[in-house]
Amino acid sequence: MEPGARIYVAGHTGLAGSAIARALQRAGHANLVVRRHAELELTDARAVSDFFQRERPEYVFVAAAKVGGILANDSFPADFIHDNLGVELNVIREAWRAGTKRLIFLGSSCIYPRDCPQPMKEEYLLTGPLEPTNRAYAVAKIAGIELCYSYNRQYGTRFLAVMPTNLYGPGDSYDLESSHVLPALLHKIHAAKQGGEPRVPIWGSGRPLREFLYSDDMAAACVHLMRLPEERFERLVHPTQVPLINIGAGKEISMGELASLIAEVVGYRGEFAYDASKPDGMPRKLLDNARINALGWQPATTLRDGIALAYQDFQRRFADAA
Ligand SMILES: NC(=O)c1ccc[n+]([C@@H]2O[C@H](COP(=O)([O-])OP(=O)(O)OC[C@H]3O[C@@H](n4cnc5c(N)ncnc54)[C@H](OP(=O)(O)O)[C@@H]3O)[C@@H](O)[C@H]2O)c1
């Protein structure tokens, strides 16, 4: 990817997209094409076609998606499947029509079966039933992978799907109803500290193990992949294989340990009240990183440092809450 290459980051105002835009700028790529959601509705086929024909981006990162936590996914499955399929269909097709050289499509680890062996390897895709609560979202993301694969097979495109683990970082959503587990916990623990509450209720036993990756590390991985020399990139998107690669932190932590770590960063000294009557979900969810590690990428930010950076961002953005 040449320094002056024309690069479109779809979803550049979001958690993942903003991190990718920062990583590109840090790496000296200044010719970014971006549009806010209000300027370009990616479920609108005509608008996306006009945009790609006009801008003809050489490289595309697809970080635009309708995302949310368990509650949002479970409550609005039709919106999740409709919007995500719409974005993928339009962006991937138009990138092919506009002659985009390489495209990276972001999915998530929920594409793997609910009872997947751990750690989850790329080849476990479509080997078992999905977790029911985010099935609609996962099916849309699997369709995105299949679109990349199908365009590579039929048209010789170089489209790659990456599956990051749970992300957190600057610009995250902290909405208690719809956000992911780490930002939601951070918000709850911060509020408990501010309100002088002696304990914070936590869903489940606190025992499930989860993996978290700082968004800037995920972005560095995406940029690293996009900049791979031709022959190495070619191997990832070769039409004989599903173009899929995991991006994980390589470490897991129990939900209880995560709550304690956040409390340390926030400076909260109360207790946690685990509600074991609430479901824990899968006991373990860890991505296998062998493939991306072999390509020369490792995460750089420890969980403690990343949470401290996220907390600074939270306090800056919600100054009245700090
Ligand atoms: N967050 C995680 O833990 C995580 C983990 C693994 C993978 N990922 C993947 O990363 C990608 C992005 O997630 P995120 O967490 O960065 O989400 P996010 O913070 O909600 O950002 C999504 C971005 O997409 C835009 N967008 C959504 N629908 C759009 C549409 N129809 N047309 C145009 N723009 C649209 C949003 O704009 P508005 O906000 O203005 O609507 C926003 O800029 C997703 O594919 C997700 O699967 C995320």
Side-chain angles (χ1 to χ4, degrees):
M1 196 162 59
E2 320 70 52
R6 211 164 165 63
I7 307 167
Y8 171 43
V9 182
H12 75 290
T13 61
L15 173 66
S18 62
I20 291 172
R22 280 194 298 278
L24 286 166
Q25 275 153 350
R26 267 200 297 271
H29 295 287
N31 194 3
L32 302 192
V33 186
V34 288
R35 292 289 185 279
R36 294 181 165 274
H37 190 168
E39 297 166 328
L40 177 61
E41 172 52 64
L42 292 171
T43 58
D44 179 340
R46 169 62 67 84
V48 178
S49 174
D50 290 349
F51 167 76
F52 269 86
Q53 287 305 312
R54 204 170 41 246
E55 300 293 346
R56 299 205 166 261
E58 296 163 85
Y59 298 88
V60 172
F61 292 87
V62 191
K66 183 173 181 63
V67 307
I70 296 178
L71 190 63
N73 267 281
D74 208 21
S75 311
F76 310 110
D79 295 349
F80 275 85
I81 194 162
H82 173 274
D83 288 10
N84 286 308
L85 282 175
V87 169
E88 294 159 11
L89 282 169
N90 294 334
V91 174
I92 291 172
R93 176 170 186 274
E94 294 307 326
W96 158 64
R97 285 195 354 133
T100 293
K101 292 179 190 163
R102 293 183 183 182
L103 173 146
I104 288 187
F105 164 73
L106 276 76
S108 96
S109 58
C110 67
I111 56 147
Y112 291 114
R114 184 194 153 87
D115 298 316
C116 197
Q118 302 292 320
M120 300 183 284
K121 294 180 193 290
E122 288 86 350
E123 60 258 36
Y124 298 157
L125 177 71
L126 292 174
T127 54
L130 297 165
E131 157 64 34
T133 47
N134 55 15
R135 186 187 152 102
Y137 182 76
V139 166
K141 287 294 175 185
I142 292 170
I145 300 168
E146 197 64 24
L147 278 164
C148 291
Y149 185 29
S150 302
Y151 277 84
N152 291 350
R153 286 169 59 205
Q154 188 173 340
Y155 296 116
T157 49
R158 291 178 161 79
F159 295 169
L160 175 65
V162 298
M163 298 302 123
T165 188
N166 302 303
L167 302 175
Y168 68 99
D172 212 345
S173 160
Y174 290 95
D175 184 303
L176 289 173
E177 292 294 302
S178 62
S179 66
H180 292 110
V181 60
L182 190 155
L185 261 181
L186 193 147
H187 188 166
K188 265 166 71 171
I189 294 172
H190 168 85
K193 180 190 164 197
Q194 296 301 95
E197 291 160 29
R199 66 186 59 78
V200 174
I202 308 236
W203 266 50
S205 68
R207 281 194 296 271
L209 296 168
R210 292 292 181 268
E211 182 187 18
F212 298 94
L213 183 65
Y214 190 57
S215 58
D216 284 5
D217 286 348
M218 180 281 311
C222 290
V223 173
H224 179 78
L225 290 168
M226 196 65 119
R227 287 159 56 114
L228 281 177
E230 193 53 37
E231 150 235 355
R232 298 188 102 186
F233 194 81
E234 179 63 35
R235 250 180 267 149
L236 295 174
V237 294
H238 196 273
T240 53
Q241 63 168 43
V242 179
L244 178 61
I245 189 159
N246 291 337
I247 306 178
K251 288 201 177 107
E252 47 193 347
I253 183 169
S254 75
M255 293 309 297
E257 287 164 338
L258 176 69
S260 301
L261 189 56
I262 294 175
E264 268 177 55
V265 171
V266 168
Y268 174 68
R269 303 199 199 295
E271 296 173 353
F272 296 109
Y274 294 99
D275 181 355
S277 70
K278 296 285 193 311
D280 266 348
M282 284 164 67
R284 219 183 147 200
K285 243 184 123 185
L286 180 68
L287 287 176
D288 184 291
N289 280 323
R291 207 175 266 184
I292 189 153
N293 291 161
L295 289 165
W297 174 84
Q298 294 279 350
T301 315
T302 64
L303 188 54
R304 179 185 297 271
D305 289 350
I307 292 172
L309 290 165
Y311 189 45
Q312 282 170 18
D313 174 64
F314 172 85
Q315 288 177 302
R316 241 191 329 265
R317 287 167 55 211
F318 306 100
D320 50 338

